[in-house]
Amino acid sequence: MRFGKTLRQAFYAPWKDKYIDYGRLKSILREDKPEDEDEPWTEDDENRFCDEIFNTQLEKVAQFQEEKMADLRQRVDAVFDKLKELPPAEEGKPLPDSTAERLRELEADLDGITNEVKELRKFSNLNYTGFLKIVKKHDRKRGDRYKIRPIMQVSLSKRPFNSEKGYAPLLNKLSLMYFAIRQQLEGDDGHAEQYLLDPDSQPETHNGEKYTAHKFWVHPDNLLEVKTYILRRLPTLVYSEQSAKEVDGNPDPTITSLYFDNPKFELYSKKVERESDAPSLRIRWYGQLGDKPDIFLEQKIVHPNGSSEERKFSVKEKYVKPFLDGEYKMEKSVQKMERQGRGAEDVDEFRSTADAIQEFVRDNKLAPVVRANYVRTAFQNPVDDRVRISIDTDIAFIREDTLDRDRPCRDPREWHRHDIDESNMTYPFKNINQSEVSRFPYAVLEIKLKGDSNRKRPTWIQELIGSHLVYPAPRFSKFLHGVASLFEDYVNQLPFWLSDLGTDIRKDPQEAFEEEEGRRAERAENELAVGSFLGTLGTKLSSYKPSKSSPMSKSYLAERAAADAAAAAATPRSGGFTLPAAAADEEGGSSGRQGAATGAGGAADADRDYGTLSGIFPGFSLSKYARAKRAAREVVLPEGVVEPTEWIKNSGPLRIEPKVWLANERTFLKWQHICVLLGTLAISLYTAAGKNSLAEFMGIGYILVAVFAGCWSYYILHTRRTMIVQRSGRDFDNIIGPLVISAALMVSLVLNFVFAYRAAFAREGFGEQLVQQQGGNNTLPIMAHGDLW
């Protein structure tokens, strides 16, 4: 069907004049005129077409879409305010008739808004497709001199066309209000949970277990960081025994999926329009087909509430074509299951699944149309499947159709392309016609959370989702993208994410952090309001609170630098120098408040002076951190403001970088090295002392210093470990131990110099009398020869 006819049939009557005038653009382009009667296309014609499409049609559609979206937001906020004005629910008491009637009226208003949201979404999709199709016609007809498709893609990407970002906050609020109203009208019967959905996620069912899928794009520049971030929490998962047996030991298998559709692309159209009965079918295998892998035939079914489930079974390669043609009913597989003693229920379920898929293929006249080839890296705890993560890279889409009878991409008598599978062709598939290949520029990250994990996500999952490393792509589908990129001339609707491919998905970490925090704070505020309206029933809502910081967007050093800068900026100044506490009290007139604050934090301040000269000489410290703390203590707090008991950086789960632990252990090993050196020196001195009592005493003294160094290193190791775990604000430097060791070594050097000096005088005869008074030439023989150092 031509797009012009599709557009006329899909018009929403009240907005008929707001759609793209596709017919007018075609007439300006002279699309309907035969080529031999075509007049020369001049620059004036090109300017006329560009002015019409960019300045008239695009502006008209974009302005209406923006105005309608603003109107819908106002209507949603109005209903939300009315809902909050209703009295809160009381547990155990029936709902008053007036309240119930009011809730039904609000539900009717929500139904009207929801219908308009759906129509606006269709409006955006149709116009987006129309603009891309008309510029493609232009480039194909006039592309020898003018090409405007890239310009159109950039223009569309800068406008709220066909994008989920503008709809997400609206759908969040709608789902919360539906949930609240259903809870009040129907009670706590468990059915109202379906209204509390995250528009950025998609419910799925696998093997009877419910999951919620979140999909993202990952730029190649961020791919390694994302993988290492996940690897710290989850191990990689080996998908198949075959991939585990590969020579190179690579656990990431290559996956091939053949997606089915008919020449009219009816399955594609249903999925793009998000119809409730939008099934899909694919054949999937791991590795190369020549290695005889297990082949799975899978059907994905979408239910009216938005959730989906899969039906699948394995089939041998030689039976794929007979099964698709309806000549084989999987009798041998059924007989094998019966011989193995499988239960009657399992056999009946397998037979019914096979019959249903075979009937689905026959009724819809399905055949393979597109191939998706990619490398998958999976992450999952082997004993815990609550979190399942996969990253698909090297994604390529290849035509697998026979739409062109003269030059089919696949042999109509076969179910797959032999030119690819028999030659074991891999990414980037350079040995086939490049017009039949579409390479996806990003990696696809999919996070599946089991059961209630969607409402109570792990902290690290929440941080990854809100970080700058990933780009949200809700409801992304390889089937839809492959068809849209390879069969654009055959379909009349395009998926919404195509507009994002023309933009750079990389984001600034700080901007991404602030954007995510704002979105989560708004959602938390809405949930709080709805929860207060529901009363005790509102406990089912998420207890989510906006995070105070994110290690994905701020490093440890950045937070430390920001804290130092904030402390320095908060210091009151007068004439270029810091006011002392007494002067600040006099000028501010709040000495009592300052004294109270100082008294409350006195113990903490004294504790922060641990191991530094500030404990011996007040007002002196070696660290910038301590100077900032001293300056902060001089700040006069306003009335009613108290010093916080916990810093923002200390809230949340404990995260310690490995280099912090290693630095502490490295310091301990250095101290042990000093201990061994001093111990060796002490033992050597004591052994060589002979009958010299002074040398013996010095040897014993050095032994004590070595013991002190060993005990001190062990003590400081555990002290700093406790400070790290407690996230203490005290200084980590401690000068007592180094001062003791330095003083001992200095004394030894001075004594050694004195004894060596006196021994030298004794040998020359200048100090014989003095030496004899001290015991003759045999006094301190080791020191006399200078062998101590």
Side-chain angles (χ1 to χ4, degrees):
M1 183 184 299
R2 292 181 176 271
F3 178 75
K5 186 176 180 180
T6 302
L7 184 61
R8 289 191 297 270
Q9 292 178 353
F11 273 154
Y12 183 55
W15 305 342
K16 184 177 180 180
D17 297 334
K18 304 301 180 180
Y19 288 82
I20 178 177
D21 195 341
Y22 196 74
R24 175 173 174 77
L25 291 173
K26 286 181 63 177
S27 64
I28 297 177
L29 191 57
R30 305 173 193 167
E31 178 68 17
D32 298 330
K33 291 185 178 182
E35 195 66 31
D36 56 350
E37 299 179 4
D38 195 11
E39 301 176 2
W41 185 261
T42 64
E43 186 173 351
D44 292 337
D45 296 327
E46 181 67 20
N47 291 335
R48 180 187 175 199
F49 178 81
C50 291
D51 181 70
E52 179 67 24
I53 192 172
F54 286 104
N55 299 332
T56 303
Q57 299 297 326
L58 184 58
E59 288 298 328
K60 176 186 69 175
V61 175
Q63 183 178 0
F64 175 77
Q65 200 269 352
E66 185 176 353
E67 293 175 355
K68 197 62 184 177
M69 179 61 72
D71 177 66
L72 289 173
R73 292 195 188 99
Q74 293 178 358
R75 291 168 61 185
V76 168
D77 292 339
V79 176
F80 195 71
D81 293 338
K82 293 178 182 178
L83 185 63
K84 291 191 296 183
E85 293 174 357
L86 295 177
E90 297 183 12
E91 186 176 8
K93 293 184 179 181
L95 194 66
D97 294 340
S98 58
T99 303
E101 183 65 25
R102 186 59 176 159
L103 288 174
R104 292 189 182 93
E105 293 177 359
L106 294 179
E107 184 180 15
D109 294 339
L110 291 180
D111 291 339
I113 295 174
T114 304
N115 291 333
E116 286 206 17
V117 170
K118 294 179 180 178
E119 293 296 338
L120 185 60
R121 197 177 246 164
K122 291 181 181 180
F123 172 88
S124 301
N125 181 267
L126 283 171
N127 285 283
Y128 175 79
T129 305
F131 282 116
L132 288 183
K133 281 188 171 292
I134 196 65
V135 296
K136 185 176 182 179
K137 289 180 181 293
H138 169 276
D139 290 358
R140 184 166 50 197
K141 195 175 183 68
R142 314 297 178 188
D144 54 340
R145 295 181 58 191
Y146 309 100
K147 286 186 179 296
I148 63 173
R149 183 181 174 92
I151 302 176
M152 176 57 70
Q153 288 178 326
V154 173
S155 299
L156 292 175
S157 64
K158 294 181 179 180
R159 301 173 183 270
F161 264 112
N162 215 28
S163 174
E164 288 288 306
K165 292 183 179 179
Y167 293 99
L170 201 63
L171 296 177
N172 272 329
K173 190 167 287 189
L174 283 173
S175 66
L176 284 170
M177 288 189 287
Y178 269 121
F179 174 78
I181 293 174
R182 289 294 93 198
Q183 283 279 29
Q184 290 284 51
L185 294 178
E186 299 179 1
D188 188 16
D189 57 359
H191 297 293
E193 287 289 346
Q194 63 179 336
Y195 294 94
L196 195 57
L197 300 176
D198 188 348
D200 295 334
S201 64
Q202 183 175 1
E204 296 182 0
T205 302
H206 299 279
N207 299 325
E209 298 287 349
K210 294 183 178 180
Y211 288 86
T212 304
H214 303 261
K215 297 182 180 181
F216 306 88
W217 294 346
V218 181
H219 195 278
D221 294 348
N222 298 329
L223 183 58
L224 181 60
E225 188 172 356
V226 171
K227 285 186 175 181
T228 54
Y229 180 81
I230 298 173
L231 277 173
R232 296 190 188 104
R233 281 86 180 175
L234 292 177
T236 56
L237 178 67
V238 178
Y239 252 77
S240 64
E241 295 182 1
Q242 182 177 353
S243 62
K245 295 178 182 178
E246 292 182 356
V247 178
D248 59 359
N250 182 18
D252 302 338
T254 300
I255 301 179
T256 302
S257 298
L258 298 185
Y259 291 97
F260 287 69
D261 211 332
N262 53 35
K264 296 181 179 180
F265 290 96
E266 294 178 351
L267 299 187
Y268 169 86
S269 300
K270 289 182 178 180
K271 288 186 71 69
V272 170
E273 295 173 1
R274 299 185 183 180
E275 295 186 11
S276 59
D277 56 342
S280 60
L281 183 68
R282 70 178 177 180
I283 293 178
R284 178 172 55 90
W285 67 86
Y286 297 92
Q288 296 295 336
L289 193 59
D291 298 332
K292 304 299 181 182
D294 295 332
I295 299 177
F296 298 93
L297 197 59
E298 302 175 346
Q299 181 186 19
K300 191 172 185 179
I301 303 173
V302 180
H303 296 294
N305 61 356
S307 62
S308 63
E309 63 174 322
E310 286 186 356
R311 298 175 181 174
K312 69 177 181 178
F313 62 90
S314 61
V315 58
K316 293 184 178 180
E317 180 183 355
K318 62 181 179 180
Y319 295 132
V320 174
K321 182 62 175 176
F323 177 82
L324 296 176
D325 294 339
E327 301 172 357
Y328 177 63
K329 299 288 186 181
M330 302 299 296
E331 298 90 349
K332 293 188 177 181
S333 297
V334 172
Q335 294 172 4
K336 182 179 179 180
M337 294 177 66
E338 292 176 347
R339 289 196 304 269
Q340 293 176 348
R342 302 284 293 272
E345 294 182 358
D346 295 340
V347 176
D348 293 341
E349 182 180 357
F350 177 83
R351 184 184 289 109
S352 62
T353 300
D355 293 342
I357 292 179
Q358 195 171 55
E359 182 181 359
F360 177 66
V361 173
R362 182 182 66 251
D363 293 345
N364 293 277
K365 301 178 181 179
L366 302 179
V369 294
V370 66
R371 172 190 296 239
N373 185 275
Y374 48 93
V375 177
R376 170 161 292 184
T377 306
F379 306 88
Q380 180 183 328
N381 191 330
V383 297
D384 187 0
D385 62 347
R386 288 179 296 177
V387 179
R388 301 167 58 185
I389 299 179
S390 64
I391 299 179
D392 298 337
T393 55
D394 296 341
I395 304 174
F397 302 98
I398 307 171
R399 289 186 60 164
E400 200 89 11
D401 63 284
T402 59
L403 297 177
D404 188 350
R405 297 297 180 181
D406 297 330
R407 299 181 60 184
C409 299
R410 168 180 53 85
D411 187 348
R413 297 170 296 180
E414 300 294 338
W415 63 274
H416 66 100
R417 291 184 61 162
H418 285 270
D419 59 337
I420 296 177
D421 296 324
E422 290 182 356
S423 61
N424 293 334
M425 199 180 302
T426 58
Y427 187 88
F429 300 95
K430 295 183 178 180
N431 297 331
I432 62 176
N433 190 339
Q434 293 302 292
S435 63
E436 301 173 357
V437 182
S438 174
R439 300 173 185 87
F440 193 69
Y442 308 120
V444 176
L445 168 68
E446 183 174 13
I447 302 175
K448 292 184 179 180
L449 304 176
K450 184 178 180 180
D452 295 336
S453 298
N454 179 48
R455 306 300 300 174
K456 300 178 181 179
R457 301 168 184 163
T459 303
W460 67 274
I461 290 288
Q462 188 65 45
E463 291 175 352
L464 177 61
I465 291 176
S467 72
H468 68 286
L469 301 175
V470 297
Y471 184 84
R475 302 184 182 276
F476 175 80
S477 168
K478 295 185 181 69
F479 169 51
L480 295 184
H481 187 84
V483 172
S485 58
L486 295 173
F487 301 92
E488 186 175 344
D489 293 337
Y490 293 85
V491 297
N492 291 326
Q493 282 187 296
L494 301 176
F496 62 87
W497 59 77
L498 286 184
S499 59
D500 297 334
L501 289 178
T503 61
D504 188 357
I505 65 172
R506 290 172 294 184
K507 298 179 289 185
D508 178 73
Q510 184 63 26
E511 293 179 0
F513 172 75
E514 294 175 356
E515 179 182 349
E516 177 66 13
E517 285 301 301
R519 188 184 69 84
R520 292 165 62 188
E522 181 181 359
R523 182 178 177 88
E525 182 181 357
N526 295 337
E527 289 180 350
L528 180 63
V530 173
S532 62
F533 164 70
L534 290 176
T536 56
L537 295 177
T539 55
K540 280 194 173 184
L541 286 175
S542 172
S543 57
Y544 164 79
K545 294 181 180 180
S547 62
K548 299 177 182 178
S549 62
S550 173
M552 299 296 296
S553 59
K554 290 184 179 181
S555 65
Y556 170 77
L557 294 178
E559 289 187 1
R560 187 67 174 265
D564 292 343
T571 305
R573 297 181 178 274
S574 176
F577 60 93
T578 304
L579 290 173
D585 292 345
E586 292 176 1
E587 290 194 7
S590 55
S591 58
R593 291 192 300 272
Q594 174 68 20
T598 305
D605 294 340
D607 192 46
R608 293 192 189 101
D609 293 335
Y610 142 86
T612 64
L613 288 178
S614 58
I616 305 173
F617 305 102
F620 179 80
S621 178
L622 298 177
S623 68
K624 177 182 177 181
Y625 182 74
R627 292 197 302 270
K629 289 295 182 183
R630 251 194 338 271
R633 275 180 249 152
E634 297 172 357
V635 176
V636 180
L637 296 177
E639 186 175 0
V641 178
V642 297
E643 185 178 357
T645 58
E646 182 182 17
W647 295 96
I648 293 179
K649 69 180 181 65
N650 293 340
S651 61
L654 178 65
R655 296 183 184 85
I656 300 175
E657 298 183 13
K659 63 182 180 181
V660 178
W661 292 102
L662 296 177
N664 191 25
E665 293 180 0
R666 188 164 55 248
T667 305
F668 171 72
L669 294 177
K670 288 291 185 181
W671 273 100
Q672 291 298 312
H673 180 66
I674 294 175
C675 174
V676 172
L677 289 178
L678 290 176
T680 303
L681 173 64
I683 294 175
S684 300
L685 181 62
Y686 185 83
T687 303
K691 298 181 180 180
N692 192 308
S693 58
L694 180 59
E696 290 180 353
F697 291 148
M698 290 187 65
I700 294 174
Y702 274 112
I703 291 176
L704 295 178
V705 174
V707 172
F708 171 80
C711 296
W712 174 261
S713 64
Y714 184 79
Y715 162 75
I716 208 69
L717 171 71
H718 286 272
T719 300
R720 287 174 176 166
R721 180 187 180 279
T722 303
M723 294 168 63
I724 292 172
V725 172
Q726 295 178 349
R727 293 185 285 202
S728 174
R730 300 179 296 171
D731 291 325
F732 279 80
D733 54 326
N734 194 309
I735 63 174
I736 297 177
L739 281 177
V740 173
I741 301 298
S742 300
L745 294 178
M746 187 177 298
V747 170
S748 68
L749 288 174
V750 171
L751 291 178
N752 184 75
F753 175 77
V754 171
F755 293 144
Y757 185 78
R758 294 173 60 187
F761 267 74
R763 287 197 303 269
E764 298 296 333
F766 295 107
E768 181 177 357
Q769 182 65 30
L770 179 61
V771 173
Q772 289 179 354
Q773 293 178 359
Q774 296 295 331
N777 293 330
N778 294 328
T779 302
L780 295 179
I782 299 299
M783 295 182 184
H785 290 81
D787 292 338
L788 180 59
W789 293 98

